[in-house]
Amino acid sequence: MNKYGVLLVDDEPNIVNALKRSLSDEDYEVYTAHNGQVALELLKSQKVDLIISDQIMPGMTGVELLKLARLRYPDVARIMLTGNANLNMAADAINYGEVDRMLVKPWDETELKLSIQSSLEQTELNKKRRRMLSMLQEEVENLETLERSYPGISELEKDADGNILL
């Protein structure tokens, strides 16, 4: 399987460097951005599977970034990492950014890694579910087309015990 792309967004270089160190033993392609606008530009050109964003940054908050990312790149998982967690910000992150997880600085490295892994797994499951639903819809449409061309072809004749008769 290809490496997952993880985008770290924080205006504090020491936080970005610490996160990179935390993930150095993981098999991720790590990208960094110092603000939301740079992150959005990077999303256009790189395969990113997960964004970890700070909340308070100049120009664009983490919630604003994650909301735009959700709208433009719905398959990208989103984690909020903040040192200024409050109930209103948490509600905005969940309601508008649809974050998968919210972590507080300073983070626990094990919790960070498990959160990333869980978010990526959930994203993969969602992608598979959408693919399966698309395939099912296509099969239903094929069956409807076949039924229109050959009325009754999809009907089954059964005996009294419910066994299909050939």
Side-chain angles (χ1 to χ4, degrees), residues 5-12 15-16 18-20 22-23 26 28-36 39 42-43 48-57 61-63 65-66 69 76-83 99-105 107-109 111-120:
V6 175
L7 173 57
L8 309 174
V9 187
D10 199 306
D11 60 320
E12 297 180 44
I15 297 293
V16 172
L19 284 167
K20 284 173 69 173
S22 292
L23 301 180
E26 302 295 323
Y28 300 134
E29 187 70 42
V30 178
Y31 304 100
T32 63
H34 62 277
N35 64 44
L42 198 141
L43 285 167
V48 173
D49 300 291
L50 176 108
I51 301 170
I52 300 174
S53 178
D54 184 27
Q55 166 59 6
I56 299 174
M57 298 180 289
T61 67
V63 169
L65 166 62
L66 296 177
V76 174
R78 295 164 301 279
I79 294 177
M80 176 70 69
L81 179 65
T82 184
V99 297
D100 300 303
R101 301 275 189 280
M102 178 170 258
L103 302 174
V104 178
K105 296 175 188 176
W107 61 89
D108 175 81
E109 194 165 309
E111 181 183 14
L112 173 71
K113 290 179 180 183
L114 289 173
S115 294
I116 291 170
Q117 181 180 11
S118 176
S119 292
L120 289 170

Side-chain angles (χ1 to χ4, degrees), residues 33-145:
H34 62 277
N35 64 44
Q37 196 57 47
V38 171
L40 291 172
E41 287 301 314
L42 198 141
L43 285 167
K44 292 178 183 177
S45 62
Q46 300 299 328
K47 180 192 169 289
V48 173
D49 300 291
L50 176 108
I51 301 170
I52 300 174
S53 178
D54 184 27
Q55 166 59 6
I56 299 174
M57 298 180 289
M60 180 184 303
T61 67
V63 169
E64 292 167 333
L65 166 62
L66 296 177
K67 179 181 178 181
L68 289 170
R70 177 184 58 83
L71 294 171
R72 296 177 188 175
Y73 309 96
D75 287 335
V76 174
R78 295 164 301 279
I79 294 177
M80 176 70 69
L81 179 65
T82 184
N84 301 307
N86 65 51
L87 191 55
N88 289 336
M89 192 271 300
D92 286 348
I94 292 166
N95 293 333
Y96 302 115
E98 291 185 16
V99 297
D100 300 303
R101 301 275 189 280
M102 178 170 258
L103 302 174
V104 178
K105 296 175 188 176
W107 61 89
D108 175 81
E109 194 165 309
T110 301
E111 181 183 14
L112 173 71
K113 290 179 180 183
L114 289 173
S115 294
I116 291 170
Q117 181 180 11
S118 176
S119 292
L120 289 170
E121 287 172 359
Q122 186 62 48
T123 298
E124 285 299 316
L125 288 172
N126 288 339
K127 286 179 190 177
K128 287 178 183 177
R129 180 183 56 82
R130 281 193 299 279
R131 278 195 306 269
M132 290 177 70
L133 285 172
S134 176
M135 289 170 48
L136 179 61
Q137 182 61 38
E138 187 176 319
E139 290 302 318
V140 166
E141 290 169 4
N142 289 339
L143 185 59
E144 289 170 350
T145 300

